[in-house]
Amino acid sequence: MSDLTRSRRRASAGTDSGNHDGAAAMVSEVRLAVLADQLPLSGARLAAAVQSTGKLLGATGMLRTVDQVHAELQGLGPLQHLLEDLTVTDILVNGPDEVWVDGGAGLRRTSHRFSTDAEVRALATRLISAAGRRLDDGNPCVDVRLAAFRVHAVLPPVSNRGTLLSIRVQRHREFTMAELIESGTLDPLMAEVLHAVVVRRLNFLVSGATGTGKTTLLSTLLALSASSERLVTVEDAAELTPRHPHAVSLQCRHNNAENSGAIDLAELVRQAMRMRPDRLIVGECRGAEVRELLAAMNTGHSGAGGTIHSNSAETVPARLMALGALAGLNREAITLQAASALDIVVHLVRSSGGRQVAVIGLMELDNAGALRVRPALVRCGGGCEAASGWARLQDLLRIGPLS
């Protein structure tokens, strides 16, 4: 942490309630002045607005006030300081008295408190409004995507403990295969296999529970695609940013304040198929769009992929059945579609040891004609070991024997 940051925190910690109220009033005054001239926001403009108040703040006070106004206008307001920890991926506000963060090693409670629930609601309303949506008694549950955050808010009385905020932080940090191996997410042999999956243009799904790193791994795999290929990604909220020279992204649009104008994932998949994709990727399969993705895979769109929520690799077929039912497909139809479309399932888990690829398996039909995932490589201790599907996976990928 920098000396400047420490000095700001010490100054903040030493402020009594009266001074705090005065500082809040001045921040509000500066914010209104900046908004009134409707010019592009810059550090110089903020500093000039602070000086125009006539308050004698000193260098530290000036910097702190500029930071506070900037956070109020474009950041997370009183929660902005939590982003100084670059490992933080989630900020969870459970009313005015509880603020939690997830910094990679599990949830931990912070010392931050809001003065009232009205302060939490004001922050939630501003963040939702910044995305063109409305949060009020008529719309008490809203989910939006901002430039660097995904924000979900719930108001009372739907919430029985005050305004709830769930903020997912996007760090715009893409990892290479080497970095995932070094961090322990990937075993070296699993990394070799996944590289071959991309090169051989097999269709795959990355599965796992929330926060296991599905999007991170998918972005890394997409970056392995040939530079001559065109990648079209379809997402509810744009999070995939692969290091690739020709990747374009489509993002869902939710209903506006007049409850119209929505464009869902299924429609975007249909549009993406008309955009001459070499690889079609659905960031998260969670509804009727699974029908469109499987149809694309079955009509010549090889090398396609996506993520899906699942507790284990073995339960991915059941998850597909449930999503297929939402799309109007019966069990037999989704079984045949998935068995012919999907080749590989890559399952991630999260434990005290961090995020890891636990299983690489094959999507296939068993002897009874039921859809299943047969494990080929399974994480075991510090490495991985071959399972019943390894020989078939070797044939698909044309790679050598297990070393």
Side-chain angles (χ1 to χ4, degrees):
M1 184 184 300
S2 68
D3 291 340
L4 179 57
T5 300
R6 291 192 184 94
S7 68
R8 291 175 185 171
R9 287 190 171 180
R10 284 196 296 269
S12 178
T15 303
D16 60 23
S17 61
N19 289 337
H20 177 78
D21 291 341
M26 186 177 64
V27 168
S28 178
E29 179 183 345
V30 173
R31 181 178 66 240
L32 291 174
V34 170
L35 292 174
D37 59 22
Q38 297 184 343
L39 294 174
L41 187 66
S42 67
R45 284 189 58 239
L46 288 176
V50 172
Q51 288 179 328
S52 70
T53 65
K55 302 291 193 303
L56 297 177
L57 301 172
T60 300
M62 169 75 76
L63 289 170
R64 185 172 66 248
T65 303
V66 168
D67 283 350
Q68 287 176 325
V69 176
H70 188 274
E72 285 292 330
L73 293 176
Q74 291 192 328
L76 296 181
L79 301 176
Q80 187 73 19
H81 69 280
L82 298 176
L83 300 179
E84 292 174 5
D85 182 349
L86 298 181
T87 66
V88 167
T89 58
D90 295 87
I91 301 173
L92 308 173
V93 181
N94 302 337
D97 298 324
E98 288 187 26
V99 178
W100 298 72
V101 297
D102 188 341
L107 288 169
R108 68 176 188 275
R109 188 170 179 174
T110 73
S111 59
H112 186 87
R113 301 288 186 277
F114 288 84
S115 57
T116 63
D117 189 66
E119 187 181 355
V120 185
R121 180 165 179 158
L123 173 60
T125 300
R126 177 175 66 78
L127 293 174
I128 298 301
S129 298
R133 303 285 300 283
R134 190 180 75 236
L135 179 69
D136 53 29
D137 292 339
N139 292 282
C141 305
V142 185
D143 180 81
V144 299
R145 172 71 187 173
L146 300 173
F149 312 106
R150 184 169 181 174
V151 181
H152 183 265
V154 182
L155 297 179
V158 177
S159 161
N160 60 9
R161 57 186 304 177
T163 302
L164 304 181
L165 262 177
S166 303
I167 302 169
R168 171 65 59 89
V169 182
Q170 185 174 356
R171 292 293 183 179
H172 297 288
R173 171 76 165 90
E174 299 304 320
F175 295 88
T176 65
M177 293 289 270
E179 288 173 321
L180 292 183
I181 292 172
E182 184 179 356
S183 69
T185 299
L186 275 175
D187 170 82
L189 178 59
M190 285 182 160
E192 178 186 347
V193 166
L194 292 180
H195 189 281
V197 166
V198 176
V199 172
R200 301 297 181 193
R201 299 185 57 81
L202 299 186
N203 295 329
F204 63 92
L205 285 178
V206 179
S207 66
T210 300
T212 53
K214 298 186 296 296
T215 301
T216 298
L217 178 61
L218 181 56
S219 285
T220 300
L221 295 180
L222 294 177
L224 302 175
S225 305
S227 60
S228 59
E229 294 179 341
R230 173 176 167 87
L231 279 57
V232 181
T233 63
V234 175
E235 299 177 85
D236 179 59
E239 295 179 331
L240 289 169
T241 54
R243 294 176 180 173
H244 192 276
H246 196 166
V248 295
S249 175
L250 301 180
Q251 178 178 317
C252 285
R253 188 173 72 186
H254 298 281
N255 282 334
N256 56 24
E258 288 72 39
N259 202 35
S260 63
I263 301 177
D264 62 16
L265 281 172
E267 175 60 26
L268 289 184
V269 173
R270 288 190 288 269
Q271 297 300 324
M273 291 173 64
R274 301 183 180 102
M275 296 171 62
R276 199 245 173 240
D278 290 302
R279 292 184 188 269
L280 175 62
I281 302 96
V282 176
E284 180 187 337
C285 295
R286 61 179 189 175
E289 68 278 353
V290 71
R291 175 184 58 197
E292 316 301 333
L293 179 61
L294 294 178
M297 291 178 174
N298 277 314
T299 53
H301 290 274
S302 62
T307 73
I308 189 169
H309 274 80
S310 182
N311 292 327
S312 67
E314 290 75 16
T315 58
V316 170
R319 180 70 173 149
L320 288 172
M321 296 296 170
L323 298 182
L326 294 175
L329 298 175
N330 60 32
R331 186 179 186 85
E332 181 182 8
I334 193 68
T335 295
L336 295 176
Q337 287 266 36
S340 60
L342 290 165
D343 300 300
I344 303 294
V345 170
V346 184
H347 187 73
L348 286 135
V349 297
R350 181 175 179 177
S351 64
S352 57
R355 300 173 175 92
Q356 293 184 338
V357 173
V359 178
I360 298 177
L362 299 162
M363 184 69 75
E364 62 182 20
L365 297 176
D366 64 17
N367 293 332
L371 193 65
R372 70 169 181 177
V373 174
R374 183 156 61 114
L377 285 177
V378 178
R379 195 65 174 260
C380 182
C384 66
E385 61 182 22
S388 61
W390 174 243
R392 179 166 176 256
L393 182 59
Q394 284 180 294
D395 290 339
L396 282 174
L397 300 178
R398 291 171 249 167
I399 59 178
L402 179 63
S403 57

